[in-house]
């Protein structure tokens, strides 16, 4: 697959949507208004917000790498990494909830976005696993 055709890939578009939603949730819940610059972190909530943004960004990068790779082992490594990052994001949602976030509807929106992404990701992963090198 060529880099130009990534936008036509549904799972890639969904990873971008997940990244955007994660950034919005992180920016909303952070107490450090400079979190988007990834400077020093002052609180637990800020730490979770930074990790949320970083992992969502890594998901997009790993989807891109898996889509562009011709090497089976490299694709499998990227696919495994995406699974880990999606579980991490769900854990961050739980952490924010336990930290006392009152606006749980935002966390539920992010969880829903993760579920939507995972459905698309699983279908795409099956097609990559069956793809011949």
């Amino acid at each position: 697959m060529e880099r130009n055709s990534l936008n036509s890939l549904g799972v890639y578009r969904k990873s971008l949507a997940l990244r955007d939603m994660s950034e919005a949730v992180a920016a909303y819940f952070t107490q450090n208004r400079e979190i988007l610059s990834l400077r020093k972190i002052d609180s637990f909530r800020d730490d979770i917000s930074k990790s949320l943004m970083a992992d969502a960004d890594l998901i997009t990068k790993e989807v891109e790498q898996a889509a562009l790779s011709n090497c089976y082992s490299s694709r499998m490594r990227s696919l495994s990494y995406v699974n880990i990052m999606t579980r991490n994001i769900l854990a961050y949602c739980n952490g924010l909830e336990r930290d006392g976030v009152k606006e749980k509807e935002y966390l539920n929106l992010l969880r829903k976005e993760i579920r939507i992404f995972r459905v698309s990701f699983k279908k795409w992963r099956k097609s990559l696993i069956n793809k011949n090198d």
Side-chain angles (χ1 to χ4, degrees), residues 20-33 35-36 45-46 49-50 52-53 96 101-107:
D20 293 343
M21 173 75 75
S22 297
E23 287 178 0
V25 167
Y28 183 79
F29 287 125
T30 187
Q31 295 167 351
N32 176 359
R33 292 300 161 200
I35 190 72
L36 296 176
R45 198 173 288 185
D46 292 339
S49 296
K50 178 183 174 189
L52 178 64
M53 289 181 355
L96 285 168
V101 167
K102 291 181 177 41
E103 302 87 351
K104 294 180 182 167
E105 62 271 5
Y106 294 121
L107 297 176

Side-chain angles (χ1 to χ4, degrees), residues 85-95 110-111 114 118:
M85 294 300 107
T86 56
R87 283 193 312 263
N88 285 353
I89 291 174
L90 289 172
Y92 301 146
C93 289
N94 293 338
L110 183 54
R111 287 178 179 126
I114 291 170
R118 283 178 126 176

Side-chain angles (χ1 to χ4, degrees), residues 6 9 11-13 15 58-68 78-79 82 117 121 124 128:
L6 275 175
L9 190 59
V11 70
Y12 182 73
R13 287 193 313 271
S15 74
L58 287 172
I59 287 172
T60 300
K61 289 178 182 175
E62 290 298 323
V63 166
E64 181 179 340
Q65 185 172 342
L68 297 175
S78 291
L79 296 175
V82 169
F117 170 76
F121 177 72
W124 181 65
L128 282 183

Side-chain angles (χ1 to χ4, degrees), residues 11 17 27 32 34 39 47 67 69 77 91 94 98 101 103 117 122-123:
V11 70
N32 176 359
E34 295 178 354
R39 293 187 182 162
D47 189 28
S69 178
R77 197 171 25 255
N94 293 338
R98 288 186 187 114
V101 167
E103 302 87 351
F117 170 76
K122 286 178 183 181
K123 289 178 187 175

